[in-house]
Amino acid sequence: MTVGTSGSAAGLVARLRAAFRTGRTRDLDWRTTQLTRLRALLTEHGDELAEALHADLGKSRKEAYRTEIDFTVREIDHTLERLAGWLEPEPAPVPAALAGATAHTVQDPLGVVLVIAPWNYPVQLLLAPLVGALAAGNAVVVKPSELAPTTSAAVARLLPEYLDTETVAVVEGAVPETTALLAERFDHIFYTGNGTVGRIVMAAAAKHLTPVTLELGGKSPAFVDRDTDLRTVASRLVSGKFLNAGQTCVAPDYVLTDPETAAPLAEALAAAVEERFGPDPSASPEYGRIVNGRHFDRLVGLLDSGRTVTGGAHDRSGKYIAPTVLADVSPDAPVMREEIFGPVLPIITVDGLDEAIGFINDRDKPLALYAFTHSPAVRDRLLTETSSGGVGMGLPLAHLTVSDLPFGGVGESGMGNYHGRYSLETFSHRKAVLDTPLG
Ligand code: NAD
């Protein structure tokens, strides 16, 4: 569907609102049917989506299934298994003065919600929020990213074949289409992307007092303690950092370690890159590409920020940038002034934990914090003295695969969260009910 003018956006939202008001989306059967059909779409068209992801981002089939298609299927299964239980009214005790009355809360659908997704995981980040919006009984408009055009087109064609078209709509497009949508009154807006557009979304939402969830990014640090097995640490850092060529919101952005550990860690990281992607990563089917020329140029501009330990090679025609590790990086270097969002991993040296904590706290609150240490005292201090959306002790990225954990940022890395039951909470209003007998 095309929505290029506010008139057609208004018509779309009015149509979805009218369908929502019939009450059909409240029905548990409707919700489970939509989720089951969405699951069928993913399993029946998984290969087509994987090919689209390869066309847009050079993702390998294995990575496409693991991080996008199967990820979303698991989110659906987790929700389907528990949804009826989650929707049970939750009793609340009443004060003595109301003896005889009962109180409870119910999860009320919000109405018509908007999901705006980015390009880096264009299946997962569009459809996982949709799972929550449908589970909560809403009508939904989803807006895929124009920067992953093959995936956007595939999703726009497939979703209407599987889902209730009266209550679920896909709007493809870029800034004009999104701007037209944002002029309308939604009951919730769920945005994933960068903080600049996050502010535009929030300002548009404020006009209608529409609540927002903002899933943003930032520079997620990884602290490496001196007591660790650097081979294991490096292997895990490389897996997390260079997945999707570093274009992952929770990728470790930079490494903090002490001066004695920095050199052996740099060597271990170079060895881990070679172990994972071979001597020439451009030939590895497991290694992705940069989404477009603009991001390629931006990333190439960051490659001179330190001493190249491994990588640095790049080719604009293939949008290839080798997995790159930089040592001797100054905290003021260009690579430390913005979220990297690409395959460049700088190592910054700090004199111990106090300085590491200070370094993290002097910057915006990150989406994730990673720590590699055996010391309970170090873990405790990092947990209690820093603020981040989530924490991964010993392993990057994996915390977001735990459906029972909320996924979201804090401060500059976002507001609100989702996954599993938290998605239901995000896309519902918890309505308080007091029931007092009339006597
Ligand atoms: P993007 O350019 O695809 O933009 C995201 C969405 O915003 C798109 O649908 C786009 O059409 C829309 N958009 C762009 N400009 C707009 C405007 N002026 N008005 C209204 N809508 C507009 O993706 P991106 O922002 O480059 O994504 C990368 C960022 O997203 C990084 O900062 C990354 O960390 C963050 N991110 C966060 C998460 C998370 O879950 N927290 C996940 C992925 C990416």
Side-chain angles (χ1 to χ4, degrees):
M1 172 166 303
T2 314
V3 173
T5 66
S6 57
S8 52
L12 171 67
V13 175
R15 184 168 67 72
L16 294 186
R17 196 170 296 290
F20 174 76
R21 285 196 182 141
T22 65
R24 66 203 282 172
T25 64
R26 289 179 178 269
D27 190 30
L28 180 60
D29 273 355
W30 179 90
R31 305 185 197 197
T32 55
T33 303
Q34 299 310 306
L35 292 175
T36 307
R37 289 192 189 154
L38 185 58
R39 190 186 197 287
L41 182 162
L42 288 160
T43 52
E44 289 165 18
H45 295 275
D47 286 354
E48 185 182 340
L49 292 171
E51 278 160 29
L53 291 164
H54 187 265
D56 287 333
L57 290 150
K59 278 192 202 204
S60 71
R61 189 186 140 82
K62 195 165 117 200
E63 190 174 316
Y65 269 93
R66 183 159 69 92
T67 64
E68 305 237 36
I69 299 157
D70 291 345
F71 181 100
T72 313
V73 167
R74 269 203 316 281
E75 184 69 12
I76 293 171
D77 290 345
H78 181 89
T79 304
L80 278 172
E81 276 163 32
R82 295 162 180 79
L83 184 56
W86 290 342
L87 292 173
E88 286 288 317
E90 208 166 286
V94 293
L98 289 171
T102 58
H104 65 273
T105 59
V106 288
Q107 302 269 38
D108 220 13
L110 294 171
V112 184
V113 302
L114 173 63
V115 173
I116 304 175
W119 51 266
N120 61 330
Y121 289 84
V123 170
Q124 182 205 139
L125 297 175
L126 187 78
L127 300 187
L130 176 62
V131 171
L134 294 172
N138 297 289
V140 193
V141 178
V142 291
K143 214 300 281 169
S145 174
E146 70 280 15
L147 299 186
T150 322
T151 312
S152 173
V155 169
R157 187 172 55 70
L158 291 170
L159 275 182
E161 284 177 24
Y162 282 80
L163 299 188
D164 175 10
T165 52
E166 297 295 306
T167 49
V168 182
V170 187
V171 173
E172 286 194 270
V175 176
E177 292 78 5
T178 318
T179 306
L181 283 171
L182 287 172
E184 299 307 315
R185 175 189 293 276
F186 286 91
D187 298 289
H188 193 92
I189 300 176
F190 188 103
Y191 169 80
T192 305
N194 67 75
T196 306
V197 176
R199 285 167 169 79
I200 295 173
V201 169
M202 199 167 171
K207 295 206 175 93
H208 300 291
L209 271 187
T210 296
V212 293
T213 302
L214 300 180
E215 294 280 341
L216 310 177
K219 291 181 85 60
S220 298
F223 175 77
V224 180
D225 210 352
R226 63 174 65 207
D227 66 348
T228 50
D229 169 26
L230 294 181
R231 201 163 168 244
T232 304
V233 172
S235 162
R236 294 183 186 185
L237 276 172
V238 162
S239 298
K241 174 72 185 187
F242 298 113
L243 183 77
N244 198 23
Q247 301 163 117
T248 301
C249 56
V250 283
D253 188 273
Y254 62 94
V255 174
L256 288 175
T257 195
D258 60 81
E260 294 77 44
T261 309
L265 177 63
E267 267 175 48
L269 285 165
V273 167
E274 177 152 355
E275 196 172 314
R276 185 163 182 82
F277 300 111
D280 175 13
S282 73
S284 166
E286 295 306 318
Y287 189 62
R289 294 297 183 267
I290 307 306
V291 66
N292 58 25
R294 182 170 63 83
H295 279 286
F296 177 90
D297 293 340
R298 178 182 66 78
L299 288 162
V300 168
L302 305 180
L303 292 174
D304 291 336
S305 297
R307 179 171 58 80
T308 306
V309 176
T310 185
H314 51 90
D315 158 35
R316 196 174 199 278
S317 63
K319 298 198 195 80
Y320 166 77
I321 299 180
T324 300
V325 177
L326 300 178
D328 306 333
V329 176
S330 143
D332 311 322
V335 77
M336 290 307 292
R337 287 190 214 134
E338 59 183 82
E339 178 184 3
I340 299 170
F341 218 57
V344 186
L345 183 62
I347 302 173
I348 309 279
T349 53
V350 280
D351 272 330
L353 186 62
D354 284 339
E355 200 178 313
I357 290 173
F359 192 95
I360 294 164
N361 290 338
D362 282 346
R363 286 161 177 76
D364 291 335
K365 293 179 181 178
L367 186 55
L369 173 116
Y370 301 114
F372 299 85
T373 179
H374 293 295
S375 159
V378 172
R379 294 158 59 103
D380 275 3
R381 286 201 57 200
L382 282 165
L383 272 179
T384 55
E385 295 180 31
T386 69
S387 176
S388 59
V391 172
M393 293 288 179
L395 189 62
L397 272 51
H399 60 292
L400 74 85
T401 66
V402 182
S403 292
D404 285 315
L405 283 178
F407 177 60
V410 57
E412 280 285 321
S413 56
M415 60 183 73
N417 52 54
Y418 74 128
H419 285 176
R421 182 167 196 162
Y422 298 97
S423 293
L424 184 73
E425 299 276 347
T426 286
F427 286 108
S428 308
H429 166 60
R430 197 172 262 287
K431 186 154 76 178
V433 182
L434 178 70
D435 198 344
T436 315
L438 278 175

